[in-house]
Each structure stands twice: as structure tokens, then as C-alpha cells.
Amino acid sequence: MKVTFYGHACFGIEINGIHILVDPFITGNPKASHIDISTIKADYILLTHAHQDHVLDVEEIAKRTAATIVSNYEIVMYYVAKDLKGHPVNHGGTYKTEEFSAKYVNAIHTSSFADETYGGQPGGFVITSGEKALYIAGDTAVTMDMKLIPMTTKLTASIFPIGDNFTMGVEDAIIASDLVSCDTVIGCHYDTFPPIEINKETAKEQFSNKDKDLILLTIGETISL
Ligand code: NI
Ligand code: MN
């Protein structure tokens, strides 16, 4: 499982040549101006919720790639009405392919499109392939529901928002990593806009003080899990 950071909360995940794109918001992110979205591969586009900083580039990328959009019912129907391909799930449900499965799990947040269309209830995903499992929390507060995840899944890593203000911040993300029993955290949803700016060195130190690893990728960087 290879994970590429495209800025903010957008990640590309490659599993055996299959490309999954999560929450594409690139052209609106000045920090990601070096990323050319016309080169991004996508067989599936997973959307945690409908906020603009998670879906801005969905239509352009889905049109070019003919990717299947996987998200909650309301979000998928919104794109199906625009002649894009989609597969709806809802909380607790798992989308299964031969290469991976993606379970839509609870998040505490809100979800509406920029045009004010209702975007259903927000979620996160647990993506599993073979021995590897990656939890993408989506925009969320820390929630006790996170404790359910390790009851069925041994996580390899978790992607947590750490920018505070709109989501949990660093302290709560440390608690979240305890709840999901996974000490390897990839941070996202920080530094894109002034209200979510963080001190990256302090954040890493706070994690390492608890014997946890906070990975902060540069935009465009890829790691293997
Ligand atoms: Ni949001
Ligand atoms: Mn957001």
C-alpha cells in the first residue's frame, strides 16, 4: 500500500496498481500549486464528506478518469445526477473490490456542498488490503466510536486531521490514536488556511513524548506502508 499526500486532506493510495483518491482539493490549495491534477490517476474516488475543501476537484478528475465515486448516499447521488459514476455506502457498510475493502465509519462533523445541497452525514474510511489497513478519519472530533475499529481491524496507520478549529487538534489526535490502538499517525488538515496553522515540530514532539510517530508528508511525497 503506497500513500501519496496531495495536500490538505487529499491522499492517493495505490494498492496493486489500483489507484484510490481521497478527498481531492488541490486546485484550490495554494500550497499544492505544483501538483498537476491532470496527471493524477484514479480508479476510485473516496469522499468523506461534501465540504468544498474535500470535493473541489472531484468532477474534473472523475470525468477524465471515469473513476467510481464511493461515499454516502447523498454525496454519490449528487454526482450521479451530474453523469458521474458512483457507488453509495452508509455508516457501517463496506465497499468491497478484489483489491481492497473500504468501510465507511462514523465521524463527528457536518457535511454540505458549496451550493448548500445536503451532503449526508460525514464519515471516515477504513481501507483494508491483505495484511495492511489504513484508517482515514476524515474531518472529525475525537469520538469513542473510534474504539470500535480495533475490535475488528489491526491498523497499520491512521490519517488524522490535526489542525484544530474545524477538526480535532494534536492533543485529541493523540487520544484518538490510543482509541484505535495505532501509534503510527499521518497528519492532515493543517497549515492550509490561517485558522488551522500548527507548529509542526511541537506536534511531532507531542506525539513522540507518548511513544507515537506523527508523519507529516510534504505535498507530493509518497510513502509505503
Ligand atoms: Ni469539513
Ligand atoms: Mn475540511
Side-chain angles (χ1 to χ4, degrees), residues 5-159:
F5 183 46
Y6 290 119
H8 197 52
C10 180
F11 290 87
I13 297 154
E14 191 189 334
I15 297 168
N16 302 331
I18 300 292
H19 292 86
I20 303 167
L21 184 65
V22 182
D23 286 0
F25 171 77
I26 297 159
T27 59
N29 181 356
K31 293 190 177 348
S33 57
H34 59 292
I35 304 291
D36 176 4
I37 67 163
S38 72
T39 64
I40 292 178
K41 294 178 182 168
D43 299 293
Y44 302 92
I45 298 175
L46 271 49
L47 303 175
T48 61
H49 66 295
H51 285 158
Q52 187 77 332
D53 61 316
H54 298 256
V55 304
L56 179 69
D57 297 316
V58 170
E59 287 182 44
E60 189 171 335
I61 296 171
K63 241 176 241 160
R64 175 177 56 80
T65 59
T68 300
I69 296 165
V70 180
S71 188
N72 70 34
Y73 183 81
E74 289 78 6
I75 290 174
V76 168
M77 289 306 125
Y78 179 89
Y79 288 113
V80 166
K82 293 173 185 280
D83 283 331
L84 297 170
K85 265 201 309 194
H87 180 97
V89 291
N90 222 322
H91 300 85
T94 303
Y95 179 68
K96 293 187 181 112
T97 74
E98 294 209 343
E99 301 294 341
F100 71 94
S101 69
K103 184 174 188 181
Y104 196 56
V105 295
N106 295 351
I108 296 185
H109 194 65
T110 56
S111 177
S112 53
F113 287 93
D115 65 8
E116 295 181 359
T117 304
Y118 173 57
Q121 293 292 308
F125 289 98
V126 178
I127 298 176
T128 305
S129 177
E131 298 292 292
K132 306 283 180 181
L134 174 66
Y135 171 39
I136 298 163
D139 283 9
T140 187
V142 62
T143 159
M144 291 303 281
D145 288 348
M146 290 171 174
K147 272 191 121 161
L148 295 167
I149 294 169
M151 290 181 184
T152 55
T153 309
K154 184 169 173 24
L155 294 173
T156 311
S158 300
I159 296 178

Side-chain angles (χ1 to χ4, degrees), residues 151-222:
M151 290 181 184
T152 55
T153 309
K154 184 169 173 24
L155 294 173
T156 311
S158 300
I159 296 178
F160 285 155
I162 55 168
D164 213 332
N165 196 83
F166 299 114
T167 66
M168 56 188 175
V170 171
E171 276 181 29
D172 283 356
I174 290 169
I175 296 169
S177 84
D178 282 334
L179 297 180
V180 298
S181 304
C182 174
D183 290 332
T184 303
V185 172
I186 300 167
C188 73
H189 216 277
Y190 65 92
D191 280 2
T192 317
F193 320 109
I196 59 173
E197 276 168 10
I198 65 161
N199 183 320
K200 293 194 278 291
E201 287 319 305
T202 309
K204 283 187 185 178
E205 221 176 274
Q206 284 173 271
F207 271 80
S208 66
N209 287 344
K210 301 281 183 186
D211 292 321
K212 296 174 187 292
D213 193 15
L214 176 65
I215 301 165
L216 300 178
L217 300 171
T218 57
I219 298 175
E221 188 180 351
T222 301

